[in-house]
Amino acid sequence: VQMPIMKTLKYLQKQRKKFDTSMLNCRYIRDYWRMAKDNGRDMTDESIIYPHNLINRHDAEAVKNKKEKSKQLDKKFKARLKELNKYCFEYKGLSIHPAHSSGEMINEGQKLCHCVGSYVKSHAEGETTLFFIRHIDHPRTPYFTLEFDLENNEVLQNRGMKNCDRTPEVKEFEKKWLKFVKSINKKKTRKAA
């Protein structure tokens, strides 16, 4: 967003005095303008460009921006869930399911002390695919997190608490699940041919 420099500097100076703060600078107002534009605000409206209280408007736009991004992410998660639900599987007391939401992924990373929470956007956009392995008796308790390459039908990584490697039980489960996944994907390939 390009605005008149002198007018903007005078506006910032008045805002600094009015709210007794030095944090209001060119970066701060540019950040506000970017969020306001992203949120669909009319960037020709003077009251939007130079609000009465820049700090409050900046914070309000940040909240709206975060909510909007969260809604878009949730839509993507729902679409991925619909696409990936066919890979749900149970075997010998374990189950596997795709990530249901960004919150579930973040919780998974926090509980298992690993970085899966940083994959939220990548999973939502289909750049990678994440599944959660659980004990059937404790379906909400994180156990192992599996990253999968759908194109090549291969496990990229499968990690438990603090990035520990698979237990023999999880290795066996993964092997059976992979066989199941390949059989589903084979049927898909035959139908396409």
Side-chain angles (χ1 to χ4, degrees):
V1 179
Q2 289 255 317
M3 301 299 167
I5 293 171
M6 291 312 292
K7 184 174 184 173
T8 300
L9 291 175
K10 285 179 186 176
Y11 168 77
L12 285 172
Q13 191 173 32
K14 284 181 185 177
Q15 288 284 304
R16 277 190 214 113
K17 283 181 186 173
K18 187 176 183 179
F19 298 105
D20 192 29
T21 181
S22 61
M23 75 175 191
L24 299 175
N25 57 32
C26 291
R27 247 189 243 130
Y28 193 88
I29 197 165
R30 276 197 318 255
D31 187 45
Y32 160 72
W33 286 336
R34 179 190 49 76
M35 288 186 296
K37 184 180 179 193
D38 289 350
N39 290 335
R41 304 287 186 220
D42 178 1
M43 297 310 289
T44 61
D45 182 336
E46 284 282 316
S47 68
I48 300 291
I49 298 168
Y50 301 111
H52 174 70
N53 183 329
L54 177 59
I55 296 168
N56 285 349
R57 289 303 319 142
H58 178 279
D59 293 350
E61 293 301 329
V63 167
K64 183 174 174 22
N65 195 272
K66 188 174 182 178
K67 283 182 181 175
E68 193 55 42
K69 284 182 180 176
S70 180
K71 278 184 201 172
Q72 291 168 0
L73 204 57
D74 286 346
K75 283 181 184 177
K76 289 178 180 180
F77 260 91
K78 284 180 184 173
R80 290 288 337 261
L81 185 59
K82 192 175 179 181
E83 166 197 353
L84 299 171
N85 262 336
K86 64 185 172 196
Y87 299 114
C88 291
F89 180 76
E90 292 182 359
Y91 176 76
K92 285 193 175 179
L94 294 178
S95 68
I96 189 167
H97 69 270
H100 289 101
S101 68
S102 58
E104 185 183 29
M105 280 184 71
I106 291 165
N107 181 59
E108 180 92 355
Q110 289 171 343
K111 297 284 185 189
L112 294 179
C113 302
H114 61 43
C115 67
V116 73
S118 66
Y119 287 76
V120 167
K121 189 174 181 221
S122 299
H123 174 81
E125 294 182 352
E127 295 167 11
T128 194
T129 304
L130 291 147
F131 291 93
F132 301 145
I133 298 173
R134 303 281 194 258
H135 285 284
I136 292 172
D137 296 343
H138 304 284
R140 296 185 191 275
T141 304
Y143 185 46
F144 272 79
T145 310
L146 185 144
E147 184 181 12
F148 192 68
D149 178 345
L150 280 173
E151 281 188 35
N152 297 308
N153 282 331
E154 67 182 11
V155 173
L156 299 175
Q157 58 181 327
N158 189 355
R159 299 287 175 197
M161 178 63 78
K162 295 183 180 178
N163 279 317
C164 73
D165 202 6
R166 296 166 287 224
T167 64
E169 164 196 46
V170 172
K171 282 181 185 177
E172 181 184 351
F173 176 82
E174 180 186 302
K175 191 175 178 181
K176 292 289 182 181
W177 178 73
L178 267 173
K179 193 173 180 179
F180 169 74
V181 168
K182 287 176 181 178
S183 74
I184 289 173
N185 289 340
K186 235 182 227 179
K187 290 174 190 173
K188 188 175 73 175
T189 307
R190 278 192 220 135
K191 285 181 183 179

